[in-house]
PDB file of all heavy atoms in Angstrom:
ATOM      1  N   LYS A 370     -81.888  74.144  65.342  1.00 90.00           N
ATOM      2  CA  LYS A 370     -81.519  75.237  66.221  1.00 90.00           C
ATOM      3  C   LYS A 370     -81.547  74.800  67.682  1.00 90.00           C
ATOM      4  O   LYS A 370     -80.668  75.200  68.477  1.00 90.00           O
ATOM      5  CB  LYS A 370     -82.483  76.435  66.027  1.00 90.00           C
ATOM      6  CG  LYS A 370     -82.055  77.639  66.841  1.00 90.00           C
ATOM      7  CD  LYS A 370     -82.846  78.880  66.457  1.00 90.00           C
ATOM      8  CE  LYS A 370     -82.338  80.099  67.223  1.00 90.00           C
ATOM      9  NZ  LYS A 370     -83.052  81.319  66.793  1.00 90.00           N
ATOM     10  N   VAL A 375     -77.866  77.271  66.895  1.00 83.00           N
ATOM     11  CA  VAL A 375     -78.019  78.297  65.866  1.00 83.00           C
ATOM     12  C   VAL A 375     -78.853  77.731  64.711  1.00 83.00           C
ATOM     13  O   VAL A 375     -78.958  76.514  64.579  1.00 83.00           O
ATOM     14  CB  VAL A 375     -76.657  78.777  65.296  1.00 83.00           C
ATOM     15  CG1 VAL A 375     -75.841  79.507  66.352  1.00 83.00           C
ATOM     16  CG2 VAL A 375     -75.852  77.576  64.715  1.00 83.00           C
ATOM     17  N   SER A 376     -79.405  78.591  63.901  1.00 89.00           N
ATOM     18  CA  SER A 376     -80.194  78.131  62.750  1.00 89.00           C
ATOM     19  C   SER A 376     -79.271  77.534  61.691  1.00 89.00           C
ATOM     20  O   SER A 376     -78.059  77.798  61.702  1.00 89.00           O
ATOM     21  CB  SER A 376     -80.957  79.299  62.158  1.00 89.00           C
ATOM     22  OG  SER A 376     -80.061  80.205  61.566  1.00 89.00           O
ATOM     23  N   PRO A 377     -79.809  76.740  60.753  1.00 88.00           N
ATOM     24  CA  PRO A 377     -78.944  76.206  59.691  1.00 88.00           C
ATOM     25  C   PRO A 377     -78.180  77.268  58.925  1.00 88.00           C
ATOM     26  O   PRO A 377     -76.994  77.123  58.635  1.00 88.00           O
ATOM     27  CB  PRO A 377     -79.944  75.472  58.803  1.00 88.00           C
ATOM     28  CG  PRO A 377     -81.047  75.056  59.721  1.00 88.00           C
ATOM     29  CD  PRO A 377     -81.163  76.184  60.690  1.00 88.00           C
ATOM     30  N   SER A 378     -78.828  78.392  58.599  1.00 83.00           N
ATOM     31  CA  SER A 378     -78.120  79.428  57.835  1.00 83.00           C
ATOM     32  C   SER A 378     -77.029  80.069  58.665  1.00 83.00           C
ATOM     33  O   SER A 378     -75.917  80.356  58.154  1.00 83.00           O
ATOM     34  CB  SER A 378     -79.124  80.501  57.337  1.00 83.00           C
ATOM     35  OG  SER A 378     -79.812  81.057  58.458  1.00 83.00           O
ATOM     36  N   ASP A 379     -77.282  80.329  59.943  1.00 81.00           N
ATOM     37  CA  ASP A 379     -76.232  80.906  60.806  1.00 81.00           C
ATOM     38  C   ASP A 379     -75.103  79.909  61.030  1.00 81.00           C
ATOM     39  O   ASP A 379     -73.946  80.295  61.195  1.00 81.00           O
ATOM     40  CB  ASP A 379     -76.826  81.307  62.151  1.00 81.00           C
ATOM     41  CG  ASP A 379     -77.676  82.555  62.042  1.00 81.00           C
ATOM     42  OD1 ASP A 379     -77.524  83.304  61.033  1.00 81.00           O
ATOM     43  OD2 ASP A 379     -78.491  82.819  62.958  1.00 81.00           O
ATOM     44  N   TYR A 380     -75.452  78.625  61.057  1.00 79.00           N
ATOM     45  CA  TYR A 380     -74.431  77.592  61.226  1.00 79.00           C
ATOM     46  C   TYR A 380     -73.430  77.632  60.075  1.00 79.00           C
ATOM     47  O   TYR A 380     -72.213  77.511  60.275  1.00 79.00           O
ATOM     48  CB  TYR A 380     -75.080  76.216  61.316  1.00 79.00           C
ATOM     49  CG  TYR A 380     -74.083  75.065  61.358  1.00 79.00           C
ATOM     50  CD1 TYR A 380     -73.426  74.763  62.553  1.00 79.00           C
ATOM     51  CD2 TYR A 380     -73.775  74.326  60.236  1.00 79.00           C
ATOM     52  CE1 TYR A 380     -72.493  73.728  62.594  1.00 79.00           C
ATOM     53  CE2 TYR A 380     -72.867  73.284  60.310  1.00 79.00           C
ATOM     54  CZ  TYR A 380     -72.238  73.002  61.475  1.00 79.00           C
ATOM     55  OH  TYR A 380     -71.305  71.982  61.500  1.00 79.00           O
ATOM     56  N   ILE A 381     -73.936  77.803  58.867  1.00 75.00           N
ATOM     57  CA  ILE A 381     -73.052  77.866  57.676  1.00 75.00           C
ATOM     58  C   ILE A 381     -72.089  79.057  57.820  1.00 75.00           C
ATOM     59  O   ILE A 381     -70.891  78.917  57.617  1.00 75.00           O
ATOM     60  CB  ILE A 381     -73.871  78.015  56.369  1.00 75.00           C
ATOM     61  CG1 ILE A 381     -74.686  76.755  56.122  1.00 75.00           C
ATOM     62  CG2 ILE A 381     -72.934  78.236  55.193  1.00 75.00           C
ATOM     63  CD1 ILE A 381     -75.661  76.894  54.952  1.00 75.00           C
ATOM     64  N   LYS A 382     -72.646  80.213  58.189  1.00 70.00           N
ATOM     65  CA  LYS A 382     -71.817  81.416  58.296  1.00 70.00           C
ATOM     66  C   LYS A 382     -70.758  81.252  59.376  1.00 70.00           C
ATOM     67  O   LYS A 382     -69.576  81.592  59.193  1.00 70.00           O
ATOM     68  CB  LYS A 382     -72.694  82.632  58.628  1.00 70.00           C
ATOM     69  CG  LYS A 382     -73.687  82.989  57.550  1.00 70.00           C
ATOM     70  CD  LYS A 382     -74.625  84.089  57.998  1.00 70.00           C
ATOM     71  CE  LYS A 382     -75.688  84.371  56.942  1.00 70.00           C
ATOM     72  NZ  LYS A 382     -76.687  85.346  57.431  1.00 70.00           N
ATOM     73  N   LYS A 383     -71.149  80.706  60.563  1.00 69.00           N
ATOM     74  CA  LYS A 383     -70.215  80.584  61.665  1.00 69.00           C
ATOM     75  C   LYS A 383     -69.159  79.546  61.398  1.00 69.00           C
ATOM     76  O   LYS A 383     -67.986  79.704  61.766  1.00 69.00           O
ATOM     77  CB  LYS A 383     -70.974  80.195  62.931  1.00 69.00           C
ATOM     78  CG  LYS A 383     -70.142  80.260  64.209  1.00 69.00           C
ATOM     79  CD  LYS A 383     -70.991  80.061  65.454  1.00 69.00           C
ATOM     80  CE  LYS A 383     -70.124  80.171  66.694  1.00 69.00           C
ATOM     81  NZ  LYS A 383     -70.887  79.974  67.935  1.00 69.00           N
ATOM     82  N   ALA A 384     -69.524  78.437  60.715  1.00 60.00           N
ATOM     83  CA  ALA A 384     -68.583  77.390  60.419  1.00 60.00           C
ATOM     84  C   ALA A 384     -67.554  77.765  59.369  1.00 60.00           C
ATOM     85  O   ALA A 384     -66.574  77.085  59.182  1.00 60.00           O
ATOM     86  CB  ALA A 384     -69.312  76.098  60.004  1.00 60.00           C
TER      87      ALA A 384
END
Side-chain angles (χ1 to χ4, degrees):
K370 186 170 184 177
V375 294
S376 68
S378 58
D379 286 343
Y380 175 78
I381 295 173
K382 295 173 185 175
K383 190 172 182 180

